[in-house]
Amino acid sequence: MLHVAVVGSGPSGVYAAQSLVEQDRVPGVRVDVLDRLPCPYGLVRYGVAPDHEKIKSLQNNLRTVLEHERVRFLGSVEIGPGALPPARLLGLYHAVVYCVGAAADRRLGVPGEDLPGSHSATEFVSWYSAHPDVLTDGFEQDGFVRGVESAVVIGVGNVAVDVARILARGVAELLPTDMPDAALGVLAGSGVREVHMVGRRGPSQARFTTKELRELGSLPDTEVVVDPAELALDPAYADPSALPAANRRNIEVLRGWAERPPRGLPRRIRLRFFLRPVALTAGAAGRVAGARFERTLPDGRGGVSGSGRYEDIPAQLVLRSVGYRGVPLAGLPFDAERGTVPHAGGRVLRDGAPSPGEYVAGWIKRGPTGVIGTNRPCAKETVRSLLDDAPDLVRRDVPEDPLAGLRAAGLRPVEWPGWLAIERAEAALGRSLGRGVVKIPDWAGLRRAAQEQEQG
């Protein structure tokens, strides 16, 4: 019987597990889905904005896979430095599929980027999504929006739209979500009145989807402001007919906002284009006080060039949202230029040759591209390679139950009943606060909830 470990319980990992147990080429495959956190679902739990209930409901689909009779969830299992080495993990399974995503944020590489009040958008998302690493890293003390009237979000993708929307949301709209109570309290006292979302290129090249973009225009007490002169710099703005349909729709939405007269609402989201960050500036207290941008111009080849003209935007909070990057996992090869594990059809390559039993799927395989659904064909390709190799893989002797080996290595995996106990604890927390389900935001609380199941 083929026994496979999938490292990572986000969409790519769960789709890999699903492909393994639903195929009929190799019957009876058993899959353990491992995760560093005691909670499953990866970025669906900790990356999707709390006010996006429809997308978050994807957890129900992932749950069905994790409750399959031949799939086992094992949380609180860390692979890598100071934890379980990949070589030892491979000794417990016939094959291991790494679906560890792209955990690092790309940096701007400009002076002042490390000033207090300057963060990656991912840090902000993790804070309001109750990722337990946030308390460990000390961001809770900062509170992000305390004392902030103007914020700058650098980037024009969907994550940038998410954080801009959350910054402009009123507490009444966030109260029904599963946002942790501490973050909700801070946002309830927010004085943010201006949110500037800034891209270095033009509106026809922005990466947000039209659905996400339109949401900004439906926020209560918030108006979206677009400068017609900046739109007009884009060669495709006047005649977007040659653009893909999604980009054409974006142009139409932006055109509507640009032509609308000001409404004088309490909050404003300003969409800016053709501005490249060159520095973050500090105020008297040593915190970020603004961002300096250089005006860019289309270069005729899809890129931009500097104009030598600059603009300062005052801000007490700067969030960069300029992409993600994979990080090396000790014991696995890594392509530093691409930020991915070298592979061929999902097979991990060591010194150019496939490494028996080691595979990758998701962002660590192809880079941080695509939407959630893109992970499904990506995982299927990897699983096809694994199944092709299965006749050789099953010849290797592995323990009948790898869980005993994980425990022998000093790990205390949180199994599915432990996760269900966390779910119950979060529902109880919400009831105690007069809300719906509210996430537990810290490691100690998550472990305590899971251990209560073990002790029960």
Side-chain angles (χ1 to χ4, degrees):
M1 180 184 296
L2 185 68
H3 209 150
V4 180
V6 172
V7 181
S9 66
S12 62
V14 176
Y15 291 151
Q18 183 178 29
S19 295
L20 283 163
V21 296
E22 291 185 353
Q23 53 77 39
D24 55 11
R25 291 175 56 190
V26 180
V29 177
R30 302 190 69 86
V31 182
D32 284 349
V33 178
L34 316 180
D35 203 289
R36 181 176 72 90
L37 298 172
C39 310
Y41 311 135
L43 282 178
V44 177
R45 175 174 166 91
Y46 288 116
V48 174
D51 59 342
H52 273 179
E53 286 298 324
K54 186 173 181 180
I55 302 175
K56 288 173 72 68
S57 69
L58 177 63
Q59 291 183 14
N60 297 328
N61 302 77
L62 304 182
R63 183 190 200 97
T64 300
V65 178
L66 293 174
E67 290 181 334
H68 189 281
E69 61 181 359
R70 286 186 281 112
V71 176
R72 180 169 56 179
F73 172 72
L74 299 175
S76 291
V77 175
E78 184 166 6
I79 311 300
L84 190 69
R88 187 165 181 182
L89 179 65
L90 186 58
L92 300 175
Y93 295 88
H94 293 112
V96 179
V97 184
Y98 290 93
C99 306
V100 294
D105 296 277
R106 293 189 181 276
R107 292 177 60 84
L108 300 174
V110 301
E113 186 169 6
D114 294 318
L115 286 169
S118 167
H119 301 279
S120 73
T122 301
E123 291 165 354
F124 184 55
V125 170
S126 295
W127 173 72
Y128 66 61
S129 296
H131 197 294
D133 285 347
V134 170
L135 283 177
T136 306
D137 294 340
F139 294 117
E140 180 71 15
Q141 283 68 41
D142 178 77
F144 285 97
V145 299
R146 290 192 179 102
V148 175
E149 294 183 2
S150 174
V152 167
V153 180
I154 299 175
V156 285
N158 279 344
V159 174
V161 174
D162 278 349
V163 299
R165 190 181 66 254
I166 293 295
L167 285 168
R169 278 270 191 220
V171 66
E173 303 148 57
L174 296 173
L175 191 62
T177 73
D178 62 5
M179 182 179 287
D181 213 49
L184 181 66
V186 171
L187 290 170
S190 169
V192 175
R193 295 294 175 264
E194 295 264 358
V195 180
H196 306 259
M197 194 166 74
V198 187
R200 65 184 178 87
R201 296 193 296 175
S204 69
Q205 298 164 308
R207 303 296 296 273
F208 42 62
T209 59
T210 308
K211 181 180 178 182
E212 292 260 1
L213 180 64
R214 283 179 175 143
E215 276 190 274
L216 297 179
S218 65
L219 297 176
D221 300 320
T222 302
E223 63 180 319
V224 181
V225 180
V226 183
D227 185 348
E230 288 184 346
L231 299 185
L233 290 174
D234 192 326
Y237 175 68
D239 180 13
S241 59
L243 294 173
N247 301 77
R248 287 201 307 272
R249 290 193 294 267
N250 286 345
I251 291 288
E252 291 168 6
V253 173
L254 293 167
R255 189 189 302 275
W257 286 334
E259 294 172 351
R260 187 170 58 189
R263 294 185 289 165
L265 297 177
R267 291 186 293 269
R268 287 168 297 281
I269 297 176
R270 298 184 181 275
L271 300 182
R272 305 294 309 276
F273 299 97
F274 292 112
L275 291 173
R276 176 168 57 199
V278 295
L280 304 187
T281 55
R287 291 180 58 85
V288 69
R292 171 163 290 184
F293 295 89
E294 181 183 17
R295 169 66 66 195
T296 61
L297 297 170
D299 63 6
R301 301 182 300 276
V304 292
S305 58
S307 69
R309 294 183 288 116
Y310 298 88
E311 177 180 340
D312 291 319
I313 299 179
Q316 301 80 46
L317 171 67
V318 175
L319 300 173
R320 67 178 185 274
S321 181
V322 291
Y324 300 92
R325 183 173 177 80
V327 296
L329 184 64
L332 284 183
F334 189 72
D335 184 332
E337 184 177 342
R338 293 183 173 86
T340 58
V341 170
H343 74 94
R347 296 180 177 92
V348 172
L349 299 178
R350 293 181 181 271
D351 298 322
S355 176
E358 293 185 307
Y359 303 85
V360 285
W363 280 3
I364 198 63
K365 170 188 174 184
R366 68 181 190 274
T369 61
V371 295
I372 290 175
T374 312
N375 291 294
R376 191 181 292 276
C378 174
K380 285 183 175 180
E381 179 194 50
T382 294
V383 168
R384 280 196 299 271
S385 295
L386 191 159
L387 295 174
D388 288 344
D389 301 339
D392 293 325
L393 297 175
V394 295
R395 294 195 181 103
R396 189 165 56 85
D397 289 333
V398 298
E400 184 175 343
D401 186 0
L403 182 55
L406 293 173
R407 288 174 173 155
L411 299 171
R412 294 185 60 189
V414 172
E415 298 182 63
W416 193 250
W419 158 241
L420 296 181
I422 291 172
E423 282 193 318
R424 291 193 297 271
E426 293 185 333
L429 175 60
R431 287 194 299 271
S432 72
L433 297 169
R435 299 173 57 193
V437 171
V438 172
K439 286 182 185 172
I440 296 171
D442 60 287
W443 281 102
L446 292 169
R447 289 181 179 127
R448 186 164 53 247
Q451 288 166 4
E452 286 176 2
Q453 167 67 29
E454 295 175 5
Q455 295 165 357

